[in-house]
């Protein structure tokens, strides 16, 4: 406990909690922004989301992180307490965050509690309905395959005759 005017310096590896108790600081983990759905068809409420992925080999407490969202990432939103296991995804809907993504363009940054930028997206531009802005093979791109809570998948390619070429392997040959 840090008694007023008694302990002036907080020890390394700790921070002062609101009730004057010292708590240990988690180290910054390898958390990534992974997918955003900014423009769902119909109502946005409860359907828009931001997905995070734990790329680290250890579990990470998300209560030490904030999202900066907005045209210039001006709105700071602390993340609710959750332990994210290695390789696990978490989805935060607009209803969870109390803030909606803009349909035109938005900057999203993931910040550690000390203000350091952990990750950020390349701002999207005018997404169509039900098209997600996804990190696929380390490149931000639109995809029509929305994958909340799982590995992102690239958009299927449209062939000249209107057929689709699957990105998930070979498809049967046409008759």
């Amino acid at each position: 406990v840090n008694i007023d005017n008694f302990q002036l310096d907080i020890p390394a590896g700790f921070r002062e909690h609101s009730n004057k108790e010292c708590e240990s600081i988690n180290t910054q983990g390898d958390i990534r922004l992974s997918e955003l759905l900014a423009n769902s068809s119909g109502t946005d409420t409860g359907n828009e989301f931001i997905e995070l992925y734990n790329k680290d080999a250890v579990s990470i407490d998300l209560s030490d992180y904030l999202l900066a969202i907005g045209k210039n990432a001006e709105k700071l939103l602390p993340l609710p307490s959750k332990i994210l296991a290695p390789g696990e995804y978490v989805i935060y809907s607009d209803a969870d965050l109390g803030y909606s993504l803009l349909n035109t363009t938005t900057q999203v940054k993931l910040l550690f509690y000390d203000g350091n930028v952990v990750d950020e997206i390349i701002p999207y531009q005018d997404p169509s309905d039900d098209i997600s802005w996804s990190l696929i093979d380390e490149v931000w791109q639109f995809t029509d395959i929305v994958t909340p809570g799982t590995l992102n998948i690239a958009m299927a390619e449209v062939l000249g005759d209107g057929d689709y070429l699957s990105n998930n392997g070979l498809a049967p040959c046409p008759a």
Side-chain angles (χ1 to χ4, degrees):
V1 176
N2 187 8
I3 301 169
D4 287 334
N5 299 320
F6 181 73
Q7 183 176 355
L8 299 178
D9 295 322
I10 297 173
F14 289 85
R15 65 179 170 199
E16 186 176 341
H17 195 269
S18 60
N19 62 2
K20 299 283 186 194
E21 290 187 21
C22 289
E23 65 180 359
S24 64
I25 297 172
N26 291 324
T27 57
Q28 180 178 310
D30 195 1
I31 300 289
R32 301 288 175 92
L33 291 158
S34 176
E35 183 176 12
L36 289 85
L37 182 62
N39 193 10
S40 64
S41 58
T43 181
D44 287 345
T45 305
N47 294 317
E48 291 184 356
F49 68 83
I50 296 173
E51 176 185 77
L52 301 175
Y53 172 69
N54 182 357
K55 194 172 178 180
D56 214 320
V58 297
S59 294
I60 296 173
D61 183 358
L62 294 179
S63 65
D64 285 329
Y65 294 83
L66 305 120
L67 286 172
I69 302 174
K71 191 164 184 144
N72 298 304
E74 65 277 1
K75 180 74 173 173
L76 293 177
L77 305 167
L79 294 180
S81 182
K82 175 173 178 41
I83 303 299
L84 195 61
E88 186 178 14
Y89 294 85
V90 65
I91 303 299
Y92 292 107
S93 74
D94 55 337
D96 296 329
L97 297 173
Y99 188 82
S100 292
L101 298 166
L102 299 172
N103 289 349
T104 53
T105 187
T106 296
Q107 177 62 37
V108 179
K109 296 180 181 185
L110 179 65
L111 307 174
F112 198 49
Y113 78 90
D114 61 6
N116 285 330
V117 176
V118 175
D119 196 18
E120 62 185 299
I121 69 164
I122 295 170
Y124 55 82
Q125 298 294 319
D126 302 315
S128 299
D129 285 357
D130 299 324
I131 299 289
S132 74
W133 187 234
S134 299
L135 186 63
I136 301 170
D137 297 327
E138 299 300 318
V139 176
W140 282 100
Q141 56 191 283
F142 286 118
T143 180
D144 58 351
I145 304 170
V146 181
T147 58
T150 61
L151 182 68
N152 298 333
I153 300 172
M155 187 177 290
E157 294 181 43
V158 180
L159 301 175
D161 57 4
D163 289 335
Y164 286 88
L165 175 65
S166 170
N167 56 7
N168 294 328
L170 298 176
C173 292

